[in-house]
Amino acid sequence: MTTFAPTPTDTDSPWEGFESGPWCDHIDVRDFVQRNYSPYTGDAAFLSGPTAKTLRVWDTLEKDYLAEERKRRVYDVDTHTPADVDAFPAGYISDDDDVVVGLQTDVPLKRAMMPNGGWRMVEQAIREAGKEPDERVKEIFTRYRKTHNDAVFEIYTPRIRAARSSHIVTGLPDAYGRGRIIGDYRRVALYGVDRLIEDKEAAKHAVGSNPFSEHWCRYREEHSEQIKALKKLKKMAADYGFDISRPAATAQEAVQWTYFGYLASVKSQDGAAMSFGRLSPFFDIYFERDLAAGRITEEDAQEIIDQLVLKLRIVRFLRTIDYDQIFSGDPYWATWSDAGFGEDGRPLVTKTAFRLLQTLRNLGPAPEPNITVFWDPALPEGYKEFCAAISIETSSIQYESDEQIRSHWGDDAAIACCVSPMAVGKQMQFFGARVNAAKALLYAMNGGRDEVSGKQVVEGFAPVEGDGPLDFDEVWHKYEDMLDWVIGTYVEALNIIHYCHDRYAYEAVEMALHDSDIQRTMGCGIAGLSIVADSLSAIRYAKVYPVRDETGLIVDYRTEGEFPIYGNDDDRADDIAATIVHTVMAKIKEIPMYRDAIPTQSVLTITSNVVYGKATGSFPSGHKAGTPFSPGANPENALDSHGMVASMLSVGKLDYNDALDGISLTNTITPSGLGRTPDERIRNLVGVLDAGFIIDDND
C-alpha cells in the first residue's frame, strides 16, 4: 500500500513555496499557474508503470462491475433517490480504493435519476434498464415539481415542433442537461470551499443596493443557489472524510480536491459534455513541490493520476436507448485539455502531461477522459513524439490547433465536448446541438416538403419546377431563403431551451466555480456540410436532373458529368463549403440571443452523423437516402481521393471566425501506412500533424 506524507499542520501554509502574485488576493488560477509551473522539454523516460494497488483496483472494477455492465448495458439504477451533490453516501470500488476517492452514487456504475431535466426521459430510461420507477418520485416530478422539459414544451411554437419531429433539427438539449460548461475545478484545491463561498457572498451583496431589475433579481438568486451548492460540496467531501473548506496542502489533496469539484458536477447534472478542463500544469506544480520535498516518488505521482483517470472512466448517466443512438453509444466527454503554449511563449507541457498520456498504457485505451492535445509544431519534440507513439498504440488522443484556440480564447482555455473551446471559469456555453444543413437543401428544392415523409413542414416556399438540369443560382437563392426559416426556428428553440434550463435545471455547482460575471456563447452547429458542398458543386459543374415521385416530390437525382469534390484541396468545391459555413453564421448573428450570448458555430457531428443520415433523403452528389453523413467537417465518405493532407488543407479553408465553436476533422490511419518501423511511424505522424496545424499568416 502506498503511504503518503502527512498533510502539513495548520501552522504550515498550504501555499508554502509558491510564488505569490495577484492570485493570492483574488481568485485567479491562471495567474497561479503561470507564476509557478515548470515547462518540461524532455522525453518520456522518467515515467512509471502502474502500481500494484492500481492494478488491483482496476481488476476489481473490471471483474465485478464493467464485465457485468457489458452484459446488460446498464449495471444498475437507483430509482428512489433524485440525484444531487450530496444525495448519496460515500462509495468505493474496493477496500484499497483510497488514493483518489469518490463515486457518482454509492456503488460503481450505478446510475442516478436526474429528473429536473424531465421526467419522461427518466422513466423511459429506467424501464429500458429493466426496472420500475418509484411512483412517489414520479408523482413529485409530474405533479408538484415542474421540470425543464415541461417548461420547454409549454413554450415551443408549432414550427419548432414541426422542425424537431421532421429531424431537420436534432439532438436539442430539451430533455437532458445541456452540458458544455466547464467548472474551474482547480479553484476547490487552490482556495478551499470556504474562500469560494466568501467570494460568492460578496458578489451577491455587491449588487444589493442596485435598483430592482430582472438581471439584479436573477443574479442574486443564482448566487444563492451557487452558495448552497458549495455547501453541499463540502458535505459530500466530508462524507468521504475530507475537509475541503481549506486549500489543498499536498499533491494528492490537490488532485482529490479538484476531483471532488468535478464529482459534484456529474452527481448533479447529466450534460451532453461534462468536461474536466485544463489540469496538467496545475497539478504539476503540486507534484513538483512534493517530489522536491521527498513527500512522494514518481511512482506515487503516476499512481495518483492513474487512479484519477480510473474514476473519470466510470462516470455514467441514465440515458435512453434513443439518446445512445443519437450519440452512437454512451459518451459523456470528460474532456481533459492539455499542452499548447502560454501567451508568454513558454510551452504548457509538463511532466504531468506525460503522466496523463501514460494512463493509456497503464490502464489501457479508453474513450474517456477524452484527452485533447493543443498541438503546435513548436511543442517540445519529446512530447510530440510521445503523443504520436500513444496515438499509434491506442487511437485515444484528439488534437486541436493551439494557435487558433489561444488567439481567440487565451492560454487558459479548454475544450468542452470535442471541439468547443472556452476560457476556464470565465465563460460558459449554451449548447445548441445542430441543424441538418443538408436536409435544408432538399427542403429548398421541394418547397418545404419533407423528402422522406412527404409532409409539408415549411409553408410559403415554392419548389423547383421542371425536370431539366437544376440551375445553381436558382437553387442557391432558394437555399438561402430556406436557411432563414430553418435557422430562425433553430435559434428560437435554443433561446427557449436555455431560458427554461436556467430556471428549472440550473448548474449551480458548476457556475459556483466560475467568475460571477461571465461571457456566454450560444453554441450553434451544422451537420451535412460535405453533402451540401458536393451537391451544389454537382449542380454548378455537372448536370443534375431531379427525379420525382407521383406527387411531384423530388426523391432522387440523376447527375451527368464530373464535378469537383470537397476535401481534395480543390478550391472550386472547398470555396462552396466555406461559403455555406459563412452564410449560416451570418444568418445566426442576425438573431437576438438569450442573455445576450455571443453566437458561435461548430461543424461537428462526430457521432450523430448516423442518425442524421437515417432521417435524410438522396442528394445530387450521389449520397443515398438513409446512409450516414460523414462526421463533422470531413469530406464525404470515401470521396477524399487525394489523401489525408489534402483533406486537412480543404478543412483548413473554412474560416475559423465563422466557426468559433470548433471544426472537426476525423481521420483514420493504419499504423503500417505510416512506415515500416515504430520510429519511422512516430516521425511520420508528427510530420502529418505539424503539416496539418501550420497556420498561414495570410489566412
Side-chain angles (χ1 to χ4, degrees), residues 416-433:
C417 189
C418 302
V419 297
S420 302
M422 58 193 68
V424 178
K426 300 182 179 303
Q427 181 184 341
M428 66 160 286
Q429 181 195 104
F430 294 138
F431 168 54

Side-chain angles (χ1 to χ4, degrees), residues 241-255:
F242 292 93
D243 176 14
I244 64 171
S245 64
R246 58 169 178 81
T250 66
Q252 188 183 24
E253 285 190 350
V255 172

Side-chain angles (χ1 to χ4, degrees), residues 469-490:
L470 297 174
D471 178 75
F472 178 86
D473 290 336
E474 179 189 6
V475 171
W476 177 256
H477 177 73
K478 289 182 178 295
Y479 186 48
E480 277 215 79
D481 287 346
M482 185 57 64
L483 284 176
D484 286 333
W485 185 94
V486 171
I487 291 168
T489 304
Y490 172 48

Side-chain angles (χ1 to χ4, degrees), residues 506-517:
Y506 181 64
E507 302 90 341
V509 74
E510 290 165 87
M511 297 312 299
L513 300 174
H514 279 70
D515 290 354
S516 289
D517 295 299

Side-chain angles (χ1 to χ4, degrees), residues 93-279:
I93 297 170
S94 60
D95 291 342
D96 53 358
D97 176 19
D98 59 4
V99 177
V100 177
V101 303
L103 303 176
Q104 279 179 291
T105 58
D106 56 338
V107 175
L109 307 184
K110 182 194 285 187
R111 306 186 188 213
M113 299 180 294
M114 297 190 181
N116 289 339
W119 176 256
R120 179 183 56 82
M121 179 176 277
V122 167
E123 182 171 11
Q124 181 180 342
I126 289 172
R127 294 189 188 280
E128 289 174 350
K131 292 184 172 291
E132 291 296 317
D134 184 315
E135 290 300 319
R136 176 57 177 162
V137 177
K138 179 178 180 177
E139 181 184 24
I140 291 169
F141 286 94
T142 56
R143 182 174 179 182
Y144 301 111
R145 208 293 189 179
K146 190 172 187 176
T147 69
H148 163 58
N149 184 246
D150 293 335
V152 166
F153 276 84
E154 287 175 357
I155 302 173
Y156 268 173
T157 61
R159 73 175 191 169
I160 294 174
R161 289 174 178 264
R164 192 179 184 276
S165 62
S166 68
H167 304 290
I168 199 164
V169 179
T170 299
L172 292 171
D174 50 18
Y176 61 91
R178 57 192 168 192
R180 298 284 185 92
I181 300 173
I182 306 174
D184 189 354
Y185 306 112
R186 304 168 300 182
R187 296 183 181 194
V188 180
L190 184 57
Y191 296 104
V193 174
D194 282 355
R195 170 73 182 277
L196 301 181
I197 291 173
E198 290 174 8
D199 184 72
K200 290 298 181 180
E201 291 276 11
K204 173 185 174 180
H205 295 301
V207 300
S209 60
N210 293 351
F212 176 85
S213 67
E214 183 179 347
H215 169 74
W216 173 90
C217 191
R218 179 166 53 192
Y219 186 91
R220 287 180 58 81
E221 182 182 27
E222 287 182 350
H223 276 70
S224 292
E225 291 300 312
Q226 293 172 24
I227 292 164
K228 291 177 187 175
L230 289 171
K231 291 178 179 177
K232 291 178 181 179
L233 171 59
K234 281 177 59 176
K235 179 182 179 300
M236 181 264 287
D239 289 343
Y240 283 95
F242 292 93
D243 176 14
I244 64 171
S245 64
R246 58 169 178 81
T250 66
Q252 188 183 24
E253 285 190 350
V255 172
Q256 180 68 71
W257 272 219
T258 302
Y259 173 63
F260 275 143
Y262 180 74
L263 184 61
S265 296
V266 297
K267 278 175 171 282
S268 57
Q269 288 288 331
D270 63 342
M274 300 295 288
S275 299
F276 200 21
R278 200 162 185 172
L279 288 304

Side-chain angles (χ1 to χ4, degrees), residues 412-479:
D412 198 36
I415 298 296
C417 189
C418 302
V419 297
S420 302
M422 58 193 68
V424 178
K426 300 182 179 303
Q427 181 184 341
M428 66 160 286
Q429 181 195 104
F430 294 138
F431 168 54
R434 52 202 59 87
V435 295
N436 190 333
K439 195 176 183 74
L441 178 64
L442 302 183
Y443 272 37
M445 291 187 281
N446 274 314
R449 286 182 70 191
D450 190 274
E451 75 286 354
V452 176
S453 68
K455 293 180 180 179
Q456 187 72 45
V457 176
V458 186
E459 302 286 348
F461 291 83
V464 169
E465 301 289 348
D467 298 321
L470 297 174
D471 178 75
F472 178 86
D473 290 336
E474 179 189 6
V475 171
W476 177 256
H477 177 73
K478 289 182 178 295
Y479 186 48

Side-chain angles (χ1 to χ4, degrees), residues 2 41 62 96 237 455 696:
T2 304
T41 58
E62 171 60 35
D96 53 358
K455 293 180 180 179
D696 188 338

